[in-house]
Amino acid sequence: MKSLLKDTFDRIYIYRFEVFFIIQLLILFGSIIVPQTIHEETLLPLLFLLNIGIGIILIHKSKRLMWFCILLFLVSVIYFGKAMLSRQEDDGILIRLLIYSIFYLIVTWNIIREIWSMKSVDRNVIFGLMSGYISLGFLAFFLFMAIELLHPGSFVGKVLESEEFALRVDGIMYYAYITLMTIGYGEIIPATTVAQKAAVLVGLAGQFYLVIITAVVIEKYMYSRHQNEGDV
């Protein structure tokens, strides 16, 4: 039994970045494939659970961090159950945002560190690079959502005027990634000082990631290619 579990774990670990990345895409775009109600009420909590599970595998080499994240995960399950990432407005949403902000911060940092330490560029580096960027978007979403809950009206725009909490959450998620990519269409704007500073922070984080981390990956690729050509 232990051998089977170890073999399963080893296989998942080989494709950890690919699985993590695919689940992130399903979280973001799953409602395009399946009806929005089914995605939000049934698939979304399961996808976040899977994402967290793979995230724990990503950082399993650091035992303290791994057990800390497992503890966060168990606290979430015990206290919030299936509703821990439901899109319903409730008293526990700020705690959930804090828990998942800590988790994704740890995972994102470890993805960046692992990419940085790799000697050559392979599929793990490419998928890790992409999933790390998407994780930054999740962190931006958690930050903006917490600001909006603590200071209602911090973000204004037509899409945020809906009385449906789920639609407002979708609007904040959209704004998080638009800000991370520094596109800025202008249909949602930060209306308070805190929100404005958070938007600047997210924009800078996105640019630093693209400029620094991507440049490191390109440098590793060029170096490994040069080495391979030299061996021929």
Side-chain angles (χ1 to χ4, degrees), residues 93-94 97 142-154 194:
I93 190 169
L94 282 173
L97 289 172
F142 296 142
L143 175 61
F144 292 160
M145 198 66 212
I147 292 173
E148 179 63 22
L149 290 171
L150 291 171
H151 307 283
S154 290
V194 174

Side-chain angles (χ1 to χ4, degrees), residues 111-112 115-116 129 207-218:
I111 287 175
I112 293 173
I115 290 173
W116 196 284
L129 185 71
Q207 290 302 299
F208 287 158
Y209 188 95
L210 292 177
V211 172
I212 299 174
I213 307 302
T214 305
V216 169
V217 171
I218 293 174

Side-chain angles (χ1 to χ4, degrees), residues 100-117:
Y100 285 95
S101 294
I102 295 172
F103 175 81
Y104 275 99
L105 185 62
I106 293 172
V107 170
T108 303
W109 173 252
N110 278 271
I111 287 175
I112 293 173
R113 189 173 64 175
E114 187 165 351
I115 290 173
W116 196 284
S117 64

Side-chain angles (χ1 to χ4, degrees), residues 155-162 186-189:
F155 300 94
V156 297
K158 189 173 181 60
V159 74
L160 299 180
E161 294 173 0
S162 173
E187 71 274 55
I188 300 175
I189 61 173

